[in-house]
Amino acid sequence: QRFLPFVEKRLNTIELAIKGSGKSYCYSQLSPYNWLVGGGVISRATAFYNNTTKKPGYFSNYSQVIWDEVQTIKCTSPEEMNGALKSYLENGEIRVGNYCGTADSGLTLVGNIPVGQMDIEKHNMFKTLPKMFKESALLDRFAGIIEGWKIGRFTEDRKMEGWAVSTNYLTEMLHEMRDEFYYRAIVDEMIEIDGNCDTRNLEAIKRLATAYLKLLFPDVTSTDDIDVAEFRKYCLNPAIKMRWGILCQLRFLDEEYENVEMPVLKLKGE
């Protein structure tokens, strides 16, 4: 799941986990195309566009931006950042002053949560996060939640020895897959939708399923190359579960989402 944003453009995710689970290391050290901001103060100028220097921010210069220790993040101007962030997460558009541009970097929020809150359906997991990240309109723009607490702390017995693929080579291959659009065409062709499907939920599921398809079945070039049952098990169902986490948390934040249901999706051939 941590590799999903490595292969899909503008895939916005949230990982909440315990300390010592290797999340910061994974996001910051495994790909030179990632940019990790380790908490502290963030500004619209450094993130999106600096009106004074006329230079774009890190969202325009990297493939994935990670805001680490999100529970400690503060904004120089919360209202400005909130507006710019919602616009960008929705359509990749950057509007600051007279500047208008686009970027394809995704955003991953990474944070630690208390042990007692590690249940997506029963607890408001955003209780300890800054006010900005508790707004439903912003949270709804994230595709899914990674249940990082299930990974656990890394221990010595989890290290491996022997032959492996070079990290630089692996991440370069993953980065190249961001430009391959036929995977999404396969997902669109395989999923049968009801006209009453909630658009944002459906789009999030499709984007996540596409990323899973790239990672787990990189050799497919058409729907004939993948078994329908395997696609549901390894791509569609995990994508639905990740999006379900977002919807559960939205219901804690905003009663409007009580009536929003997850789409019931069928696959061609089932």
Side-chain angles (χ1 to χ4, degrees):
Q1 289 182 333
R2 289 175 176 172
F3 277 110
L4 295 175
F6 288 36
V7 297
E8 184 70 7
K9 292 182 178 180
R10 288 202 307 108
L11 187 63
N12 307 309
T13 58
I14 300 172
E15 178 173 354
L16 301 174
I18 61 174
K19 302 179 183 70
S21 60
K23 50 191 182 298
S24 300
Y25 178 87
C26 177
Y27 289 118
S28 65
Q29 300 299 317
L30 297 188
S31 175
Y33 298 103
N34 289 356
W35 182 257
L36 184 137
V37 180
V41 179
I42 57 176
S43 69
R44 188 179 65 172
T46 56
F48 293 109
Y49 185 79
N50 191 315
N51 266 323
T52 302
T53 62
K54 307 300 180 185
K55 292 183 178 180
Y58 46 68
F59 274 100
S60 297
N61 297 322
Y62 293 90
S63 295
Q64 189 69 15
V65 172
I66 301 92
W67 286 351
D68 197 12
E69 302 292 342
V70 67
Q71 66 274 10
T72 68
I73 282 181
K74 297 180 180 179
C75 300
T76 54
S77 179
E79 292 182 357
E80 285 185 350
M81 175 60 78
N82 189 286
L85 191 58
K86 283 193 288 190
S87 175
Y88 179 76
L89 296 181
E90 183 68 22
N91 51 36
E93 191 173 70
I94 299 173
R95 287 183 177 272
V96 178
N98 294 325
Y99 175 81
C100 181
T102 59
D104 58 27
S105 174
L107 173 63
T108 296
L109 303 181
V110 179
N112 300 316
I113 58 171
V115 175
Q117 294 180 13
M118 295 179 185
D119 191 315
I120 283 180
E121 297 184 2
K122 295 181 180 179
H123 299 288
N124 179 358
M125 304 178 75
F126 292 82
K127 188 180 297 184
T128 59
L129 300 189
K131 182 179 179 181
M132 183 176 74
F133 301 114
K134 297 177 184 178
E135 183 185 351
S136 60
L138 180 63
L139 177 60
D140 200 11
R141 286 163 165 77
F142 286 87
I145 291 180
I146 299 173
E147 299 178 13
W149 61 89
K150 292 184 177 180
I151 297 175
R153 289 180 63 85
F154 268 85
T155 55
E156 288 297 307
D157 59 354
R158 301 178 92 173
K159 293 182 179 179
M160 62 170 287
E161 296 180 357
W163 292 95
V165 177
S166 165
T167 302
N168 289 340
Y169 180 70
L170 174 63
T171 54
E172 196 65 38
M173 288 194 299
L174 298 180
H175 188 260
E176 287 294 315
M177 297 181 78
R178 288 167 57 89
D179 292 322
E180 299 292 352
F181 295 104
Y182 64 85
Y183 291 98
R184 174 56 187 262
I186 294 173
V187 171
D188 287 337
E189 188 175 343
M190 293 191 70
I191 295 178
E192 295 182 344
I193 63 173
D194 188 318
N196 293 323
C197 280
D198 180 83
T199 301
R200 194 167 277 168
N201 283 336
L202 178 62
E203 177 61 22
I205 291 170
K206 282 188 172 184
R207 291 176 66 82
L208 289 167
T210 300
Y212 274 114
L213 185 66
K214 290 179 179 180
L215 283 175
L216 302 179
F217 303 95
D219 57 321
V220 302
T221 57
S222 72
T223 56
D224 296 330
D225 297 331
I226 185 168
D227 179 76
V228 173
E230 288 190 341
F231 177 79
R232 175 171 287 282
K233 180 178 180 180
Y234 297 110
C235 301
L236 183 59
N237 286 348
I240 291 174
K241 185 177 181 181
M242 287 184 68
R243 181 59 186 178
W244 170 243
I246 292 289
L247 184 56
C248 286
Q249 292 304 299
L250 284 169
R251 289 175 175 176
F252 283 110
L253 299 176
D254 191 338
E255 61 182 13
E256 178 182 330
Y257 288 88
E258 287 294 334
N259 297 321
V260 177
E261 299 293 338
M262 289 289 287
V264 177
L265 303 175
K266 295 181 181 180
L267 296 179
K268 291 183 179 179
E270 282 188 331

